[in-house]
Amino acid sequence: MPGRGRCPDCGSAELVEDSHYSQNQLVCSDCGCVVTEGVLTTTFSDEGNLREVTYSRSTGENEQVSRSQQRGLRRVRDLCRVLQLPPTFEDTAIAYYQQAYQHAGIRTARLQKKEVLVGCCVLITCRQRNWPLTMGTICTLLYADLDVFSGTYMQIVKLLGLDVPSLCLVDLVKTYCSSFKLFEASPSVPAKYVEDKEKMLSRTLQLVELADETWLVTGRHPLPVITAATFLAWQSLRPSDRLSCSLARFCKLANVDLPYPASSRLQELLAVLLQMAEQLAWLQVLKLDKRSVVKHIGDLLQHRHMLVRKAFRDGTAEMDSGEKELQGQGQGQGPEEEDVGSSSLELPAVKRPASPALLLPPCMLKPPKRVCPTPPVSTVTGDEDISDSEIEQYLRTPQEVRDFQKAQAARQAAQSVPNPP
Amino acid sequence: MEEEKTDLELYLDQCSAQDALTTSRSPLLSPAVPYDVDMLTSSNPESAFNPQLEEVTETSGSFSAVDLSFLLDELSQEKKDQTVIRSKHEIEENCKTQKQQTRLPLPSQLDTGLALDSSSGSSSHSHLHPADGNSAQPSPEKPHSLPLASITPMTPIAPISECSGIVPQLQNIVSTVNLACKLDLKKIALHAKNAEYNPKRFAAVIMRIREPRTTALIFSSGKMVCTGAKSEEQSRLAARKYARVVQKLGFPARFLDFTIQNMVGSCDVRFPISLEGLVLTHQQFSSYEPELFPGLIYRMVKPRIVLLIFVSGKVVLTGAKKRSDICEAFENIYPILKGFKKA
């Protein structure tokens, strides 16, 4: 280096600063002569000024990306690739992970939590961009427990102060339905079970919309509702061949897991459809049940808005009479529901449709499991006298104490000798 | 912009009236504030709302303290700092603005209700403060003098505390007390019939009494936690009974620093609630994850209570230290829930 002096041996000006085992040396680059040396050891007085600083108290943490953070960021990238997310999602998820890592609570968390945090960041990114990703999917991919996931998720949303929109149901339906393997014939899927994707999607969407209108979706996990809706849509597109197929078999055919609540959602959806069918003249006559209503789902969905309004009432009972919207479809039955009721037509058993059922969530329609009696008004002041006898009832007499001690000792003895000879 | 300002002014009138009433310790109108806020936030985005409010604050120098603190902290600070001095004729100014408002019928009714109340002299002087926010606000283009007498008679407004007609029932009270002496937990577990002690599982004795039906955790330091009571008095009585039991076992137990730590209440509004709608409009306070929990978790800022709202209309309120917190929180949430009655 110029201006640093010359090598005493060869006179070259090319002196390089180099360290040899942490000892600073000034070396001539031509002949290798060591011009000056730094001090390798420190004296006692020097060391007096030096103090050991733990890594967590130094600034090293902020300057470097720690190994576990690097691992986490790699996991975020991998997860984004596995889910085939667009590249911008990856960057956002990485940013969230880094942001989370700045909080001490996350840095010192267990590895299990850091694993789950990876999933949380990806989920938040997807939710904010309306990409339908369920927590169940992420938990399956991460082999994580939903409880742990939920705790970490709620914590990180609060910590980062994020605004996470709800899961978009329509997108979820489209993605989930597309995953059903029913759109091409295969050895496991006979031809009569194969269905057109677009038709099934549109019908499923209509059924899910119907479920949403009739309080079947609020407060429930969204996926089982969609499973039930897909099943009904598929069945109704070719009822003659498919009525015999059960929900479980359907999911097996389609290579999709059957969520446990799906069967009860199916029953609820069928009940709603039956209520709606009551309002259609030609269906009333047929006296449908849960199986036969499937054949008419197409018609019911076509007029679903009007039928829901007619079939159900909420607190404000709006009975709009004289709605001429409904025309007999190909059945040539012109008369409206009211007329059918009043004029006795073919079947004398046809009675006037029952007064509309209440449009309430199923939890409000079921009778309460146990009647909660209103507690009697207590006149306790908190300062009453406490009688001795009342306290005595909770204490053991000396004899009881002795018996108890004997029993405890005997139990200890029995435990310490599990296999008596 | 013009229409927004009008609504805003009306809302501010309402708030000032509400604040005047709260300062006079009347529970009237407290839900009206969040209800109005709810309406406004659904019509204007939150971000637009704040600067507007601030701007109006600038213009009206003597703007009354508004009890908006349940909304946002920084907003409430400004309002609370300002005081109210009003005269009677400003009620007229308030009434005149009602003619122009179209979007918030309820607040106007309440305003006139207030005005009517004040004219009948039913309550304190503070009733004359309803038009506070309006006086200093520039509104030259508005027609003046809608005299008090020209207010159309309407159905008398019931006091807001009766509006919901529902009182949350207390389900659980958690309290702590200091017995102020070191305890031998083994001895307590041996001599008391109603005690269980498993040091490997938990480092305290779990004791139960039948009347009031409660459970207590008694620690060796002398501190005790009492849970399960249905009222504050019952909790205190139960804690005293536990202290007596410990006394009878030979320890010099005292009864210091009895404090209620948490109160849980529940009630039923009896109509279904659209949780999706609620989380959309009250995103800042609500957390609704149907994949995790069927209820919506609403964190109210003032009073600091957490509410669990379910689709069936059942509401659980927790985190209160006083009974009035729970009642106030429910009165705040009831009009919001009514807004989401139908899907």
Side-chain angles (χ1 to χ4, degrees), chain B residues 8 11-12 37 40-41 44-58 68 71-76 78-79 284:
Chain B
L8 195 55
Y11 165 67
L12 293 171
V37 168
L40 270 174
T41 52
N44 313 326
E46 277 286 337
S47 50
F49 174 61
N50 296 342
Q52 276 190 11
L53 202 55
E54 249 131 6
E55 170 209 324
V56 174
T57 316
E58 248 58 83
L68 280 177
L71 234 205
L72 294 157
D73 276 340
E74 64 269 24
L75 213 55
S76 64
E78 293 170 13
K79 304 300 162 287
Q284 284 169 309

Side-chain angles (χ1 to χ4, degrees), chain A residues 165-182:
Chain A
S166 320
L167 194 57
C168 180
L169 213 58
V170 172
D171 293 332
L172 182 62
V173 169
K174 289 188 187 145
T175 321
Y176 187 57
C177 275
S178 316
S179 73
F180 280 71
K181 306 255 178 302
L182 290 165

Side-chain angles (χ1 to χ4, degrees), chain A residues 82-385:
Chain A
V82 164
L83 292 168
Q84 295 176 337
L85 301 176
T88 48
F89 284 39
E90 210 172 296
D91 300 329
T92 319
I94 298 263
Y96 280 139
Y97 195 85
Q98 284 169 334
Q99 224 182 322
Y101 230 82
Q102 285 169 0
H103 294 262
I106 300 291
R107 266 203 306 272
T108 54
R110 297 203 167 150
L111 281 178
Q112 186 196 31
K113 194 160 185 175
K114 286 175 179 161
E115 261 290 306
V116 164
L117 183 65
V118 167
C120 292
C121 293
V122 174
L123 177 71
I124 293 171
T125 312
C126 289
R127 281 275 197 97
Q128 289 184 332
R129 316 281 182 98
N130 284 325
W131 188 276
L133 185 61
T134 57
M135 294 188 185
T137 313
I138 296 198
C139 288
T140 319
L141 284 172
L142 293 176
Y143 304 109
D145 200 9
L146 189 63
D147 297 326
V148 180
F149 187 87
S150 80
T152 314
Y153 174 76
M154 303 300 279
Q155 184 193 2
I156 203 70
V157 168
K158 203 169 170 186
L159 207 57
L160 299 179
L162 294 171
D163 205 1
V164 185
S166 320
L167 194 57
C168 180
L169 213 58
V170 172
D171 293 332
L172 182 62
V173 169
K174 289 188 187 145
T175 321
Y176 187 57
C177 275
S178 316
S179 73
F180 280 71
K181 306 255 178 302
L182 290 165
F183 310 121
E184 304 172 327
S186 75
S188 52
V189 180
K192 59 180 179 167
Y193 287 166
V194 174
E195 189 50 67
D196 173 48
K197 190 165 168 179
E198 287 313 314
K199 273 200 261 175
M200 206 159 108
L201 255 180
S202 76
R203 194 161 276 201
T204 310
L205 272 171
Q206 289 177 344
L207 277 167
V208 170
E209 203 187 287
L210 176 67
D212 203 4
E213 267 177 36
T214 52
W215 293 108
L216 297 182
V217 169
T218 312
R220 271 96 170 266
H221 198 295
L223 212 64
V225 183
I226 303 176
T227 314
T230 315
F231 174 61
L232 275 183
W234 174 79
Q235 264 193 336
S236 67
L237 286 167
R238 220 209 259 195
S240 46
D241 295 319
R242 296 174 185 171
L243 262 179
S244 53
C245 183
S246 71
L247 178 62
R249 190 155 158 246
F250 168 75
C251 289
K252 218 164 159 189
L253 276 172
N255 202 16
V256 166
D257 284 329
L258 172 63
Y260 173 71
S263 36
S264 93
R265 298 294 158 266
L266 180 64
Q267 298 306 314
E268 287 167 1
L269 205 47
L270 284 169
V272 165
L273 288 164
L274 276 171
Q275 297 263 6
M276 286 163 64
E278 292 280 308
Q279 301 297 321
L280 280 181
W282 68 91
L283 292 183
Q284 245 178 27
V285 172
L286 293 173
K287 289 216 220 184
L288 298 169
D289 64 9
K290 285 198 166 158
R291 286 181 67 82
S292 42
V293 74
V294 177
K295 296 182 222 151
H296 306 279
I297 284 184
D299 292 340
L300 291 172
L301 285 178
Q302 198 163 0
H303 306 282
R304 64 183 180 278
H305 296 298
M306 198 270 299
L307 286 175
V308 166
R309 264 206 315 278
K310 278 194 167 277
F312 299 101
R313 63 183 164 96
D314 35 38
T316 65
E318 282 176 61
M319 301 284 286
D320 31 324
S321 56
E323 260 196 341
K324 303 255 179 199
E325 285 177 21
L326 191 58
Q327 302 299 321
Q329 274 213 317
Q331 252 88 7
Q333 282 195 10
E336 293 187 63
E337 304 82 280
E338 286 86 346
D339 292 346
V340 169
S342 51
S343 67
S344 51
L345 286 177
E346 310 105 66
L347 300 172
V350 171
K351 50 188 197 305
R352 187 171 197 91
S355 80
L358 286 165
L359 186 56
L360 290 174
C363 54
M364 286 179 87
L365 291 171
K366 285 188 265 184
K369 284 185 211 171
R370 47 184 170 156
V371 183
C372 301
T374 49
V377 179
S378 83
T379 51
V380 175
T381 60
D383 293 315
E384 285 104 334
D385 280 333

Side-chain angles (χ1 to χ4, degrees), chain B residues 14 20 51 74 98 111 163 180 202 219 226 265 280 287 294 319 341-342:
Chain B
Q14 202 47 47
E74 64 269 24
Q98 286 162 18
D111 264 339
C163 246
F202 192 54
F219 294 85
C226 173
L280 271 176
S287 158
K341 207 163 167 170
K342 288 180 193 143

